[in-house]
Amino acid sequence: MINQENVLKILHLNDLHSHFENYPKIKRFFKEKSVGFSDVLRFDIGDNVDRSHPLTEATLGKGNIALMNDLQLTAATIGNNEGLGLQKSMLDVLYASANFPIILSNLKDKGLQPSWAVEKKTVMTSFGMTIDIFGLTAPYPLAYPDMGWDILDPQTVLAKQLADSEADFTILLSHLGWRFDEQAAQTFDNLNLILGAHTHHVYEFGKYIDGTMLAAAGRYGEYVGEVTLRFDDQFQCIQSEIIAEDKHHLASKPEDKAVIAELASRGHDLLKADQVACLPNGYANQYPTYEASYFVAAILAAENQVPAVIMNSGMIVDAIPQLLTLDDLHDILPHSIRMVKWTVSGSELKAIMAELYDVGNYLKTQKIVGMGFRGKVFGDIILSGMTYENDQILYQGSPVIDDADYRILVPDQYLFAAYFPILKASGTAEIQFPRFMRETVADYLKQGASH
């Protein structure tokens, strides 16, 4: 047991991704581990908000903020799910009701600090030690500018902040991943503690690199972090204990299931209340017709003004009912995926199609994880506005000419994943920001367009 004098307790959570099934345990952990300590800091290190959960989708993350408020956080930073999973107008109001500050120094709004974030927070302990707290998020230079944000190099920003810091102790809330964190630990002399996130890594008992302490608590609330530090009167850390506590070691309570179920049902009810369209009929998504996939592909083509669409039937997770609500659409297209407009030459298109069908045949029954995909299996290749038979392509009914240019629309998963190297190396790609696939479909149908 650590003597309570000159002791700092830090509790941290990262990459919850709206896995609210673990929230009751996390809330108790934060409360119980704070008892008996004069100095307690509590942090969320980003990607708390994930629109895969119905409540998060229905409230555009504000439901998450209400739960974060109950953790009595000292501060939080954002992850890419907040920064890129929400349109700019949504992120600008996400933290309006937060009772904690957002610390973030490498995301700017037209060169200025966003109104909802601070560059750093300084706190003083009961024993007189000053602490500077910094926050950085993973830079996606191909995405953030198109979402309306300026994204800065985190290494450059952190170097300046640490050079300017006169605090006795520094903490970085890092939604940057373990490689950056470990490199930063080696690089900066006055970076004392890094609370890590983004790459879902776990340091079960912490990590120590060149005098810097590192802690990280995995993902989904499967772990929650606890750091206990003791200092001498010159504010040098003389004792440390870093633990990523496995949620299985934390007691459940009978009421937990009801709390978890209520959060989901509240989200479903809100989404069900928003009717998207009453269609002439429903659409199944079964081999060989895949009516639902072709229905969605036609909408994506029309909304993005691209004649031809290539996608996989596994994108459409469920049948499309005649009376379509946002709740249905969230189940049918749960992915955090946008479309990409690709401009390629005819000869490139021929190579791309051969690759898509070759690799696609392998992927067909594979369970796909990551890159925003929230479905089950990849499924079959779906073409709209073009055909591919016996190695022959017809684009809008005409044979493809090698030196002509063609536009195709594909899910951004094809750009980010490693499945299709020929596609990734071909032509020019423009991600169609800011809407997810389901937002594009909802907007189109709500406009009452006829198909």
Side-chain angles (χ1 to χ4, degrees):
M1 185 70 183
I2 292 181
N3 183 322
Q4 301 307 298
E5 191 177 341
N6 290 16
V7 169
L8 177 65
K9 173 78 77 172
I10 298 166
L11 305 170
H12 59 101
L13 168 70
N14 63 275
D15 295 280
L16 184 67
H17 286 278
S18 295
H19 276 258
F20 298 142
E21 66 273 16
N22 293 320
Y23 174 78
K25 286 185 173 184
I26 294 165
K27 183 178 176 181
R28 283 195 296 274
F29 184 90
F30 270 51
K31 184 176 181 180
E32 291 165 5
K33 292 294 182 178
S34 298
V35 173
F37 292 89
S38 302
D39 296 281
V40 184
L41 304 178
R42 306 173 193 85
F43 299 111
D44 185 291
I45 324 293
D47 276 4
N48 187 299
V49 172
D50 192 315
R51 292 171 63 183
S52 59
H53 193 282
L55 182 62
T56 304
E57 177 75 350
T59 63
L60 296 174
K62 291 177 182 175
N64 295 62
I65 306 311
L67 297 175
M68 292 168 78
N69 282 341
D70 286 345
L71 298 180
Q72 299 182 292
L73 297 175
T74 305
T77 195
I78 74 163
N80 43 290
N81 269 260
E82 289 90 4
L84 298 173
L86 295 167
Q87 297 179 27
K88 185 177 185 296
S89 60
M90 301 169 185
L91 182 54
D92 274 335
V93 298
L94 175 64
Y95 298 105
S97 63
N99 61 13
F100 52 89
I102 300 301
I103 306 175
L104 181 63
S105 51
N106 68 320
L107 188 78
K108 304 297 178 186
D109 187 354
K110 296 183 174 65
L112 302 175
Q113 185 69 10
S115 60
W116 43 266
V118 297
E119 288 204 345
K120 76 168 184 176
K121 179 179 174 68
T122 302
V123 298
M124 181 177 283
T125 67
S126 63
F127 51 91
M129 182 175 77
T130 56
I131 304 171
D132 272 351
I133 305 162
F134 308 107
L136 295 167
T137 197
Y140 287 86
L142 295 178
Y144 272 114
D146 285 318
M147 294 289 280
W149 301 107
D150 307 317
I151 190 75
L152 307 181
D153 173 58
Q155 178 95 359
T156 305
V157 171
L158 182 60
K160 184 177 189 313
Q161 287 189 302
L162 289 171
D164 293 343
S165 176
E166 296 179 358
D168 301 308
F169 193 79
T170 58
I171 299 173
L172 173 62
L173 313 182
S174 167
H175 198 91
L176 293 165
W178 66 267
R179 285 185 181 85
F180 180 96
D181 294 352
E182 295 191 3
Q183 181 65 43
Q186 294 170 355
T187 304
F188 300 110
D189 292 337
N190 64 328
L191 180 53
N192 300 113
L193 172 64
I194 302 173
L195 303 178
H198 185 48
T199 41
H200 299 178
H201 54 295
V202 180
Y203 294 139
E204 192 173 359
F205 299 107
K207 195 161 187 174
Y208 299 81
I209 298 176
D210 292 352
T212 299
M213 297 174 279
L214 297 93
R219 61 174 192 175
Y220 302 165
E222 292 169 350
Y223 293 85
V224 61
E226 179 183 15
V227 180
T228 311
L229 306 176
R230 186 171 176 225
F231 297 86
D232 64 20
D233 291 337
Q234 285 73 48
F235 309 131
Q236 298 300 304
C237 184
I238 55 174
Q239 191 175 352
S240 65
E241 184 180 41
I242 303 175
I243 297 171
E245 187 69 70
D246 189 324
K247 68 164 186 179
H248 293 106
H249 300 158
L250 306 177
S252 299
K253 289 202 170 181
E255 61 268 27
D256 289 356
K257 285 186 178 178
V259 171
I260 295 159
E262 193 275 331
L263 293 171
S265 65
R266 198 192 327 161
H268 284 301
D269 288 346
L270 288 167
L271 292 173
K272 283 173 185 171
D274 196 331
Q275 183 176 318
V276 175
C278 184
L279 304 170
N281 51 269
Y283 299 91
N285 196 46
Q286 294 173 333
Y287 177 85
T289 55
Y290 292 121
E291 293 172 354
S293 290
Y294 285 106
F295 177 74
V296 169
I299 291 173
L300 295 171
E303 271 291 272
N304 291 284
Q305 298 181 312
V306 177
V309 176
I310 304 168
M311 55 187 273
N312 47 298
S313 64
M315 285 286 172
I316 315 302
V317 178
D318 216 336
I320 297 174
Q322 185 175 8
L323 184 61
L324 183 67
T325 69
L326 279 186
D327 194 50
D328 299 315
L329 209 46
H330 187 248
D331 288 339
I332 293 162
L333 285 167
H335 325 287
S336 54
I337 288 177
R338 300 175 173 93
M339 300 305 286
V340 177
K341 185 189 296 183
W342 230 296
T343 304
V344 297
S345 69
S347 58
E348 286 175 325
L349 183 56
K350 290 174 182 177
I352 288 165
M353 294 305 294
E355 175 184 63
L356 283 169
Y357 275 84
D358 183 35
V359 177
N361 279 330
Y362 165 74
L363 290 174
K364 183 186 298 191
T365 57
Q366 299 295 312
K367 292 184 178 179
I368 305 298
V369 178
M371 304 299 162
F373 185 76
R374 302 284 162 74
K376 295 165 186 170
V377 296
F378 188 83
D380 285 302
I381 297 290
I382 299 293
L383 302 180
S384 178
M386 60 190 293
T387 60
Y388 184 67
E389 290 181 20
N390 302 320
D391 297 334
Q392 296 296 312
I393 306 170
L394 292 181
Y395 183 96
Q396 295 284 286
S398 300
V400 168
I401 300 166
D402 281 356
D403 58 359
D405 282 343
Y406 296 89
R407 290 183 302 143
I408 57 175
L409 196 68
V410 305
D412 67 18
Q413 180 191 22
Y414 297 9
L415 172 64
F416 297 131
Y419 313 138
F420 306 120
I422 294 173
L423 173 66
K424 291 173 74 165
S426 300
T428 57
E430 302 169 68
I431 303 173
Q432 300 304 287
F433 291 105
R435 296 178 296 174
F436 287 153
M437 293 173 71
R438 66 175 172 275
E439 293 175 300
T440 301
V441 172
D443 289 349
Y444 184 80
L445 292 175
K446 282 185 173 183
Q447 290 160 9
S450 58
H451 314 297

